Amino acid sequence: MKDIIKALSEASKIRISRTGRLAIGLIVLLLLFCSQMAESARLEVSPDTVSLRTNTDLQDDLKIYEDKDSRLTIEDVANPEMDSLFVPYKTSGLGGSIKGSTYWVKLNLYNTSSKARELLLELSKPQLSRVTLYQFDDERQFLRQTRSGRSLPFNERAIDHRNFIFNLSFPAESGQRLYFQIQTDSYLQLPIKLWETRSFLERELHENLLFGIYYGIMFVMAIYNSFLYVSIRDRAYLYYVLFIVSFAVMQAVWDGYAYQYLWPGHPAWELKSNPIFIVLTCLFACLFSQSFLSVPKHSPRMGRILSVFIAGLVLTLPLMTFMTPSACTKLAVYLASASILLCVFTIASLRFRIRSVLFYMLAWMVLLASSLLNIMAAYKLVPLNFLSVYSMRFGSVAETILLSLALADRFSRIRQEKLLEEKQGTLLKNLHDTTKKLTSTYDVDKLLHYTLDCLSKITGCESGFILLRTEEGYGLKASVGAGPGDELRYRELETEPFFQSLLQKKRVAVHEGSSDIPYGVDPGTATCIEIPILYHDRLLGLVVLYSCFPRTFTESERDILCDFAGQVGISIENARLFSEINRMATTDGLTGVYNRTYFLKLANRQLSQSWSMDKPLSLIMVDIDYFKSINDRCGHLAGDKVIQETARRLTELAQPRGIIGRFGGEEFMILLPGIAADRAYRLAEVMRKSISASSVPLEHSDSIRYTISLGVAEASPDTSGITMLIDQADQALYKAKKNGRNCVKEFETTGHFA
C-alpha cells in the first residue's frame, strides 16, 4: 500500500485529463478495496493466530484433533472445514494418553515485525515415534514438509539434535499455518517452544553442561562401586552398578541422547529401548534391595514375594520382543509402579531392624519426590521452572549418592566384621593351640603359668594374675607383668566388691577406666578383664588381666574367652585327677612314700645311671623292731601311726638325695644315689638314733617308744641288678636283727665303687 500511495503521489505531479483522473481514481479505489478484502480474509481464516513469542512454551496455543482410524491426509486436515474440529490441547484430555491413534496438531504463527525472522521450533519429546511438520502460508498455500521421529534413522533428521528441531522462516508481517502429524508409542506430550538461534545455542550450552555433570556423576558412581565389587565380591555392589547403568541409560533414552549417540541407525530398537530399560531398572533395583537389605534373612515371607516378582521381570524381558512398542510401554509402567510398591512394602516389613533400611528409605523417598515434582510440572500443577524440569535428575543423583553412602556404610560394617572375624579367628587359633598344650601337661602350676602368658598375649593385657581356689581360700598361683599388689587379700574375696560380683555372676567382665578395679591392681589401669575359671558351673579360680591402654572386647570375644576358661578348668581338674591317680599309683596310701612297684622302677633307673656315670649307689633297708607287739599291745591304729611317723622321719633325714619307699608291712627302703657305703652307714646311724630318741604320741595313751634296725649295702661291679642290691641290704638287716636289733649293719663285699 505504501508503494501504491507513493506512486500515486508522484503521478499527481503530472497533468492528466479529467477522464484520466477519473480512471486513476477508480483504480485506486479498487486497489484499496482489494487490500482491505485481503486483510479481512486473513483475519477470518486465522482468528487464533499467535505472535512469534520466543523462548516460551506454546502448549496453551496448540489445537489438536485425534484421528482414531489414521485415515486423514494433510489435504483433509488443511481444509478450512476441519478448523472447527480442532480443540485446545490443554483441555482435550489427550495429554498423557497412549493410543494407536494419529494426532493432528495445529499451530498458527504470525510475524508482526517489519523484518523477516529465522526461528527454530523445538518439540522436546524424543519418544514420539513419527513427527511430520506441514507448513502453509497465510493463504493456506503449502510451503514444505519435514519428517522426523524415532521410527526413522537419526541421520534423516533435518537438524542432528536429540529433540525434534524445525527451521521456520517468516517474511515481514506474514504468518504460517503449521500442522503436525504425530504418531507415538509412548505417552503423548507436546512441549513446543520457539527459539531465536542465539538463545537456543545458549540454552544448549547450559543444558549440555548440566547433563554432562549428571551423567558424569552416574558414571563415576558406577565405576567406584564396580571397584568395590571387585575388591569384596559382594553381590549388592554388582546389582547396584547394574541399577545405576540401566537407570542412566533409561534417562538417556528419555533425553534423546541414547538414540543420538548409542544406536542412531537402529530405529526398531529405539522404539522398544525405553520400556526395556525401565524393566531392567526395576529388575536390578529389586535384586539390589533383596541383597542389600538381606530381605530373605530378616523377612522370609517378603523375600519369597520379591523372588517371585524378580522372576516375573526376568520372564518379561524376552516377551517384550513379541509385543508392540505401545504395549511394552504400558506393561513397563505397570511393572515400575509395582516395583515401587514392593520396595515400600519391603521397608515396612523390615521395620528398621537393620541400619541400612534408613539409607535405603531416604534414597527412594528423594527419587519418588523428585519424580512426583516432575510429573506435577508436566501437568502444570506446579510452576514449570528449572527445579521442576530437572528434579528427576537431581533426585536420581541424590538417590545414587545416598545409596552409595549406604553401601559405603555396608562396606565399613563388612570390613569391621571381617576384621572381627580375623581377630576372632586368630583368637580361636591361639586358644586352640594353647588348649592342645594345656591338655598335654598335668602340672597345675605349669599349666596356670602357661595359661596366663597366653591370655596376656592374646588379649594385649600386659599384666595379670590367677587366683586358684583351695580349701583355705583363694591363693595366688601365677602372675605376669606388674602382678597384684600386697593390698589384695586373697582369702577374703567374697567381701571385695570387685570380686563379689564376679563370683556371683560367673561371667567374663570388662571394666574400662580406673574405677571399680580390685585392690592390688595398678591405679592407672585403663582396661581390666576378669575371667572366671569354671568346671561344671563350679568356680575353680579367677583370671584377672589388666592394661594401661584401652582394649575393646566384643560379646563374641568374651564368649570365646569364657569357653577357653572352661577348657582351662577342665585341664586343671584333669591335672588334679591325673596327679591323684599318679599319686595313688606311685605312692603308698598310708605313708605317702613311694610304693614298692614304683620304688623298684626308680631304683633300676638310678642303678643304670650310676653305672653309666661311674657314681656310687647305696641302699638302706629299715625294719621297725617288735612291730607285732606294738599292734598287740596298742592296736593296729597305733601301729599305723608308728609306720606313718617312721616314714615321715626317714623322709626328712634322707633329704635331699634319698628316695624312700615302703617295701612291705613295717619295712622301708632308702635309695641313696651318689653316696658310698660309709656315708650311707653314718646316715643310717642318724636315723636309728633319731627314731629311738623320740616317741610317737597316741590317741588313747601318752606315747610309745620304739626302735628300728637298718641294713646297708652298696652297689658293686658284681651287682647284677636292683634285686641283688636289695637282697644284700636285706642280709645286712637280718644280721642287725640277729645282733639284737636297734643297730646298723653293713653288707660286706669284695669290692666297692670308688
Side-chain angles (χ1 to χ4, degrees):
M1 286 299 299
K2 292 180 180 179
D3 294 338
I4 294 173
I5 293 172
K6 184 178 180 182
L8 290 175
S9 65
E10 291 291 332
S12 65
K13 299 178 182 179
I14 304 173
R15 285 190 172 183
I16 306 175
S17 63
R18 182 177 295 178
T19 307
R21 287 196 298 268
L22 180 61
I24 291 173
L26 290 173
I27 292 173
V28 171
L29 289 174
L30 181 61
L31 289 174
L32 288 172
F33 177 75
C34 291
S35 175
Q36 292 294 326
M37 288 295 292
E39 290 292 335
S40 62
R42 186 178 297 171
L43 291 175
E44 286 178 4
V45 212
S46 311
D48 53 353
T49 302
V50 180
S51 61
L52 302 182
R53 304 188 309 270
T54 56
N55 308 348
T56 305
D57 189 6
L58 300 177
Q59 290 190 73
D60 292 338
D61 304 312
L62 301 178
K63 290 193 173 183
I64 190 169
Y65 174 77
E66 181 183 4
D67 181 11
K68 296 182 179 179
D69 299 326
S70 301
R71 293 181 179 179
L72 297 180
T73 63
I74 185 59
E75 289 79 12
D76 300 328
V77 174
N79 192 315
E81 296 179 357
M82 285 288 297
D83 290 351
S84 61
L85 299 180
F86 281 84
V87 296
Y89 169 68
K90 297 300 293 185
T91 59
S92 65
L94 296 176
S97 63
I98 177 170
K99 301 178 181 179
S101 305
T102 298
Y103 301 96
W104 291 91
V105 179
K106 184 176 71 169
L107 177 63
N108 295 336
L109 299 175
Y110 187 77
N111 179 17
T112 58
S113 172
S114 59
K115 297 180 181 180
R117 299 184 68 180
E118 295 290 334
L119 301 176
L120 297 175
L121 186 143
E122 179 186 28
L123 175 54
S124 52
K125 177 64 177 177
Q127 288 76 42
L128 299 177
S129 303
R130 187 179 292 270
V131 178
T132 305
L133 173 62
Y134 299 95
Q135 296 174 249
F136 293 83
D137 62 9
D138 288 344
E139 304 297 333
R140 296 182 184 270
Q141 297 298 317
F142 179 74
L143 297 177
R144 69 181 61 87
Q145 169 187 341
T146 307
R147 295 196 317 161
S148 189
R150 64 174 185 163
S151 62
L152 301 176
F154 189 84
N155 57 11
E156 292 186 10
R157 297 186 180 185
I159 298 177
D160 289 344
H161 193 271
R162 58 191 180 86
N163 293 328
F164 306 120
I165 309 296
F166 304 97
N167 279 313
L168 299 181
S169 298
F170 292 90
E173 297 182 349
S174 65
Q176 287 190 19
R177 297 174 184 269
L178 306 180
Y179 291 91
F180 296 89
Q181 183 186 18
I182 297 175
Q183 294 174 337
T184 179
D185 294 306
S186 63
Y187 293 96
L188 178 66
Q189 289 177 337
L190 300 173
I192 296 178
K193 280 187 179 182
L194 270 178
W195 292 95
E196 297 282 357
T197 303
R198 179 170 180 171
S199 299
F200 178 78
L201 293 177
E202 290 176 352
R203 193 285 310 263
E204 279 296 292
L205 183 63
H206 293 93
E207 201 170 63
N208 287 336
L209 177 61
L210 290 175
F211 280 122
I213 293 173
Y214 169 74
Y215 289 110
I217 291 174
M218 300 295 280
F219 176 76
V220 168
M221 288 299 176
I223 294 297
Y224 168 70
N225 287 281
S226 297
F227 282 119
L228 289 180
Y229 168 70
V230 172
S231 63
I232 64 178
R233 297 294 180 180
D234 187 349
R235 287 188 179 181
Y237 291 88
L238 174 62
Y239 296 144
Y240 182 59
V241 170
L242 295 174
F243 167 73
I244 293 177
V245 172
S246 59
F247 190 90
V249 175
M250 180 184 70
Q251 287 285 344
V253 171
W254 291 355
D255 297 331
Y257 287 112
Y259 195 35
Q260 183 178 3
Y261 296 111
L262 299 182
W263 48 79
H266 302 280
W269 164 248
E270 168 65 15
L271 291 174
K272 290 188 177 181
S273 60
N274 185 35
I276 285 178
F277 276 102
I278 290 176
V279 174
L280 283 173
T281 302
C282 296
L283 172 63
F284 295 128
C286 291
L287 286 170
F288 169 72
S289 302
Q290 187 182 49
S291 177
F292 176 70
L293 299 176
S294 303
V295 179
K297 175 183 177 182
H298 298 286
S299 180
R301 183 178 180 182
M302 197 65 208
R304 289 191 294 269
I305 296 174
L306 202 56
S307 298
V308 172
F309 185 75
I310 289 171
L313 291 174
V314 173
L315 293 176
T316 299
L317 290 171
L319 291 177
M320 283 185 166
T321 58
F322 304 101
M323 300 169 63
T324 62
S326 59
C328 288
T329 302
K330 290 180 181 179
L331 180 59
V333 171
Y334 296 149
L335 291 175
S337 303
S339 299
I340 293 172
L341 292 175
L342 203 57
C343 290
V344 172
F345 290 144
T346 300
I347 294 173
S349 65
L350 295 180
R351 297 176 183 176
F352 297 97
R353 277 175 281 185
I354 53 177
R355 186 171 61 179
S356 306
V357 175
L358 179 60
F359 289 100
Y360 179 85
M361 185 185 69
L362 289 176
W364 285 108
M365 283 180 63
V366 169
L367 182 61
L368 291 177
S370 62
S371 303
L372 183 61
L373 181 61
N374 188 261
I375 293 172
M376 293 174 67
Y379 289 101
K380 292 199 172 181
L381 298 175
V382 296
L384 193 64
N385 51 33
F386 177 82
L387 180 61
S388 59
V389 170
Y390 294 102
S391 61
M392 187 71 173
R393 278 76 179 175
F394 295 145
S396 59
V397 168
E399 184 223 22
T400 303
I401 293 175
L402 282 172
L403 289 178
S404 295
L405 289 175
L407 285 170
D409 177 71
R410 176 189 177 93
F411 175 75
S412 177
R413 286 188 292 107
I414 291 175
R415 185 179 179 183
Q416 290 177 0
E417 291 173 359
K418 187 175 181 180
L419 291 174
L420 182 61
E421 288 178 359
E422 291 177 355
K423 183 179 178 183
Q424 291 178 355
T426 304
L427 177 64
L428 286 172
K429 183 179 182 302
N430 292 335
L431 293 180
H432 177 70
D433 295 340
T434 304
T435 303
K436 288 194 330 187
K437 292 182 179 180
L438 291 180
T439 55
S440 63
T441 180
Y442 296 102
D443 186 337
V444 175
D445 292 335
K446 184 178 179 182
L447 185 150
L448 293 177
H449 280 89
Y450 184 75
T451 298
L452 189 59
D453 288 338
C454 290
L455 285 177
S456 176
K457 294 176 182 177
I458 291 170
T459 59
C461 295
E462 61 273 10
S463 301
F465 53 88
I466 294 181
L467 304 176
L468 202 62
R469 188 173 186 175
T470 62
E471 294 181 358
E472 295 81 12
Y474 289 90
L476 180 66
K477 294 298 182 180
S479 64
V480 65
D486 298 333
E487 301 90 345
L488 187 60
R489 299 178 181 178
Y490 303 116
R491 298 187 183 182
E492 300 179 3
L493 296 185
E494 288 78 1
T495 61
E496 177 70 37
F498 176 85
F499 290 109
Q500 188 177 12
S501 175
L502 183 63
L503 296 176
Q504 292 174 353
K505 295 180 180 179
K506 298 179 181 179
R507 294 176 57 188
V508 175
V510 177
H511 297 274
E512 297 179 356
S514 57
S515 61
D516 195 24
I517 59 173
Y519 291 111
V521 175
D522 186 2
T525 296
T527 304
C528 184
I529 179 170
E530 309 92 46
I531 308 171
I533 301 176
L534 302 174
Y535 179 75
H536 291 173
D537 203 37
R538 179 166 54 89
L539 191 65
L540 301 181
L542 304 173
V543 180
V544 179
L545 298 164
Y546 52 96
S547 173
C548 57
F549 302 101
R551 309 290 182 189
T552 57
F553 299 93
T554 63
E555 195 65 32
S556 56
E557 289 176 325
R558 298 184 189 188
D559 293 338
I560 293 173
L561 291 174
C562 188
D563 293 339
F564 174 71
Q567 292 294 327
V568 174
I570 293 174
S571 298
I572 291 174
E573 283 299 305
N574 289 340
R576 286 176 173 176
L577 181 61
F578 177 81
S579 177
E580 181 65 21
I581 294 174
N582 187 59
R583 187 189 64 79
M584 293 174 62
T586 60
T587 60
D588 176 61
L590 179 63
T591 61
V593 299
Y594 292 123
N595 58 29
R596 178 172 179 171
T597 303
Y598 193 70
F599 178 85
L600 292 176
K601 182 178 179 181
L602 291 178
N604 275 309
R605 189 183 305 163
Q606 292 295 329
L607 181 61
S608 299
Q609 291 179 2
S610 69
W611 284 340
S612 61
M613 300 175 66
D614 196 20
K615 296 289 184 179
L617 178 70
S618 300
L619 180 69
I620 301 175
M621 289 287 292
V622 181
D623 181 67
I624 300 175
D625 296 333
Y626 304 110
F627 181 72
K628 186 176 182 303
S629 64
I630 295 175
N631 282 335
D632 293 340
R633 287 184 291 107
C634 303
H636 287 83
L637 292 179
D640 292 342
K641 184 72 172 178
V642 169
I643 291 176
Q644 291 174 340
E645 186 65 19
T646 303
R648 185 184 68 79
R649 292 181 182 178
L650 292 177
T651 302
E652 290 177 354
L653 295 172
Q655 294 299 326
R657 293 187 179 183
I659 301 173
I660 183 171
R662 187 179 180 187
F663 191 72
E666 69 278 12
E667 292 181 327
F668 296 91
M669 299 174 290
I670 303 173
L671 189 67
L672 301 171
I675 296 178
D678 53 345
R679 291 180 57 193
Y681 183 87
R682 291 195 294 271
L683 177 60
E685 276 292 337
V686 172
M687 291 177 176
R688 182 189 67 79
K689 291 177 181 179
S690 175
I691 294 293
S692 62
S694 60
S695 60
V696 178
L698 300 178
E699 189 172 345
H700 300 292
S701 58
D702 293 336
S703 61
I704 184 174
R705 288 182 176 274
Y706 66 97
T707 60
I708 58 174
S709 299
L710 301 94
V712 179
E714 181 184 1
S716 65
D718 297 332
T719 304
S720 59
I722 196 64
T723 305
M724 182 178 178
L725 184 61
I726 292 173
D727 182 63
Q728 291 174 353
D730 189 48
Q731 292 181 31
L733 175 62
Y734 178 75
K735 186 176 180 181
K737 287 182 177 182
K738 190 176 179 181
N739 203 33
R741 293 183 172 84
N742 192 21
C743 61
V744 179
K745 293 298 181 181
E746 181 182 358
F747 180 79
E748 297 179 359
T749 59
T750 56
H752 300 279
F753 287 105

